Amino acid sequence: MLEWLIVGGGVHGTHVSRVLRHRLGVADDDLLIVDDAPAPLAAWQRRAEACGMDYLRSPQAHHLGLRSDALRRFADTVRLDGPAFIDPYQRPALALFDAHCRQLITDEPAHLRARERVTRIEPQAGGYRVWGRERSWWSRRVLLAPGPPAPDRPDWAAGVPHVFDHDFAMPDGDGEGNVAIIGGGITAGQLALCLIARGRSVNLVTRRRLRRSDFDANPCYAGPRCLVPFAAADWRQRRRRIQVARHPGTLPRDVATGLQRAIRRGALHLHVGSAMGLDDRGVVLADRRTVPADELVVATGFTDRLPGSQLISQLIRELAPPLTPCGFPAPQPDLQWRPGLYVTGRLAEMELGPMAGNIRGARLAGERLAAASAELTVSPPVPGRAMADSRLPVV
Ligand SMILES: Cc1cc2nc3c(=O)[nH]c(=O)nc-3n(C[C@H](O)[C@H](O)[C@H](O)COP(=O)(O)OP(=O)(O)OC[C@H]3O[C@@H](n4cnc5c(N)ncnc54)[C@H](O)[C@@H]3O)c2cc1C
């Protein structure tokens, strides 16, 4: 029997696995990360590459290492083509962040990760049976880290490539004609700048004028100043706070400035309006204008729905774990959704707040588990035990 099995070896699964191994002393033989991706952090890298990201949006303290200054110290040991960090907030270069991730996982034994899609989880004698397509495992505790929800795609754009599709291919730099991008957030902005740098002319279709925001959520939720009152609020208030704190469809200042410059020199054409469909010339807006599109990409982020698709639906259907009024997991402060079953990422947002899905959210999850470690190592969870008395670490 494993002590811990993590479903999803991306940003969250990888960071929490390091907390378990290096902070909580979980032995490598007692831990398994199950992920269907071909390599650790492959989903993160695929999405970053798809939108031509150069610098993260988050500051240098948000990384997958254990020490808060780990990325800064690592930066002193590597050579990069450009600056390691950019202001404001010392945002790290993607190349630096990825090199740091690669360095962190060099200490993983090969048997720490299994490549499988988890299709089903069921309780079994003091733990859970976790089913992949071809094998299964028995673990005392399971952490669900399946990543973000599905890409958000307008109904009219069913067959149009989305930048977060698994098989998305960046339009060719040598391609003829213009590329139209639907979306006004950082992904659409980065993709537009990347294509312009490759010599393409871009039409950017946004519902609203471009809006600037350094962060995708109020940074107050990175720490106790906002998270403590958040934890004191009821589920409905928490959902409202999350909605207010998040800034979807916004651009950090470097991307916003880059787009404005591109507009001034004629490489980018901004069309403010609601895209409603396609005709043979391009994208049709609600006011009947048509935006020419020789190639088209949707970059409208992710839905607000539950991540984890069928696996999470199966768990909800069969195990009836507690849900908030908006249908999201209602975990305990130690992130247990039901005894021995833990959540992180967007699945844990009703506990970890608006930054739950971000790198900071992974670190918050690690801190919650570390704070609850005494309980985790001393008394294994017993299915059915009342959870109200579990220790309540506050970040
Ligand atoms: C382009 C982009 C830029 C971003 N930039 C930043 C940033 O600068 N700062 C920041 O803090 N956040 C950023 N984020 C947000 C967030 O940090 C990333 O989305 C991050 O990848 C989330 O980590 P995760 O572990 O939840 O998901 P992922 O990294 O996607 O990992 C989830 C893994 O779980 C696997 N999986 C899912 N279901 C199963 C299953 N049933 N069985 C087996 N495996 C499964 C997936 O294959 C995947 O490998 C960015 C997001 C995007 C898309």
Side-chain angles (χ1 to χ4, degrees):
M1 184 189 203
L2 293 161
E3 285 299 315
W4 280 93
L5 186 147
I6 301 178
V7 182
V11 165
H12 280 249
T14 298
H15 177 69
V16 172
S17 74
R18 295 186 58 73
V19 171
L20 293 175
R21 294 167 66 218
H22 300 298
R23 287 238 160 96
L24 307 191
V26 176
D28 288 344
D29 289 345
D30 291 335
L31 170 65
L32 183 70
I33 302 170
V34 183
D35 194 311
D36 57 347
L41 298 160
W44 157 266
Q45 281 157 1
R46 174 174 49 77
R47 294 187 206 112
E49 197 179 317
C51 60
M53 172 167 138
D54 290 327
Y55 284 85
L56 272 70
R57 192 174 197 171
S58 48
Q60 55 141 313
H62 298 186
H63 55 76
L64 306 195
L66 294 178
R67 288 178 57 137
S68 60
D69 61 352
L71 186 59
R72 191 184 53 69
R73 292 158 68 101
F74 177 74
D76 294 339
T77 69
V78 289
R79 284 171 69 94
L80 298 169
D81 287 341
F85 301 103
I86 56 167
D87 283 328
Y89 309 109
Q90 292 283 290
R91 292 161 46 199
L94 177 66
L96 174 72
F97 182 84
D98 283 350
H100 185 228
C101 291
R102 282 195 297 278
Q103 194 252 354
L104 291 175
I105 58 179
T106 51
D107 73 352
E108 288 184 357
H111 64 266
L112 194 74
R113 294 183 189 246
R115 187 170 177 195
E116 264 284 6
R117 177 133 199 107
V118 172
T119 53
R120 178 175 180 77
I121 297 175
E122 53 195 41
Q124 186 182 73
Y128 291 91
R129 172 71 43 188
V130 176
W131 297 89
R133 293 212 163 103
E134 303 194 341
R135 49 197 158 152
S136 73
W137 302 268
W138 182 32
S139 181
R140 195 183 301 282
R141 303 177 186 87
V142 174
L143 172 73
L144 302 169
D152 193 8
R153 188 193 307 268
D155 292 341
W156 60 264
V160 177
H162 192 296
V163 69
F164 295 145
D165 285 341
H166 278 259
D167 57 354
F168 176 75
M170 174 92 71
D172 206 342
D174 304 326
E176 295 286 312
N178 64 59
V179 183
I181 301 173
I182 312 291
I186 181 170
T187 307
Q190 284 171 328
L191 180 62
L193 291 178
C194 183
L195 288 170
I196 290 165
R198 293 173 176 204
R200 299 295 300 261
S201 162
V202 174
N203 284 322
L204 188 62
V205 181
T206 66
R207 260 198 309 237
R208 289 178 288 260
R209 302 209 151 272
L210 299 180
R211 294 177 305 158
R212 216 184 76 178
S213 168
D214 285 324
F215 300 106
D216 61 359
N218 182 349
C220 172
Y221 283 91
R225 191 156 61 86
C226 281
L227 283 178
V228 169
F230 180 79
D234 66 27
W235 296 123
R236 283 198 167 79
Q237 289 170 335
R238 289 191 200 192
R239 175 52 71 202
R240 270 196 297 278
R241 285 178 195 215
I242 289 173
Q243 280 161 350
V244 171
R246 283 198 177 132
H247 313 306
T250 59
L251 303 158
R253 66 186 79 178
D254 58 321
V255 179
T257 307
L259 293 177
Q260 276 151 6
R261 286 194 187 128
I263 290 170
R264 280 202 292 274
R265 53 173 211 277
L268 176 70
H269 305 277
L270 183 66
H271 307 266
V272 180
S274 286
M276 303 297 285
L278 294 172
D279 68 12
D280 49 4
R281 286 172 304 149
V283 181
V284 181
L285 305 187
D287 59 10
R288 304 207 174 273
R289 277 178 296 155
T290 300
V291 176
D294 297 304
E295 285 183 73
L296 179 60
V297 179
V298 175
T300 41
F302 298 101
T303 69
D304 282 334
R305 291 195 284 274
L306 266 182
S309 57
Q310 287 156 352
L311 178 65
I312 303 304
S313 308
Q314 175 254 319
L315 286 167
I316 292 174
R317 207 172 44 247
E318 295 179 12
L319 306 186
L323 297 175
T324 63
C326 59
F328 266 62
Q332 294 292 307
D334 66 359
L335 305 186
Q336 278 193 88
W337 191 13
R338 76 190 297 279
L341 185 66
Y342 293 75
V343 286
T344 184
R346 292 291 292 263
L347 283 177
E349 69 183 26
M350 297 303 282
E351 186 55 42
L352 293 179
M355 298 180 90
N358 292 5
I359 300 163
R360 179 64 190 139
R363 301 185 69 80
L364 289 171
E367 288 169 17
R368 294 290 178 107
L369 294 177
S373 66
E375 182 183 359
L376 296 178
T377 49
V378 174
S379 61
V382 179
R385 184 194 59 179
M387 291 172 63
D389 64 346
S390 61
R391 289 176 203 174
L392 307 182
V394 176
V395 178

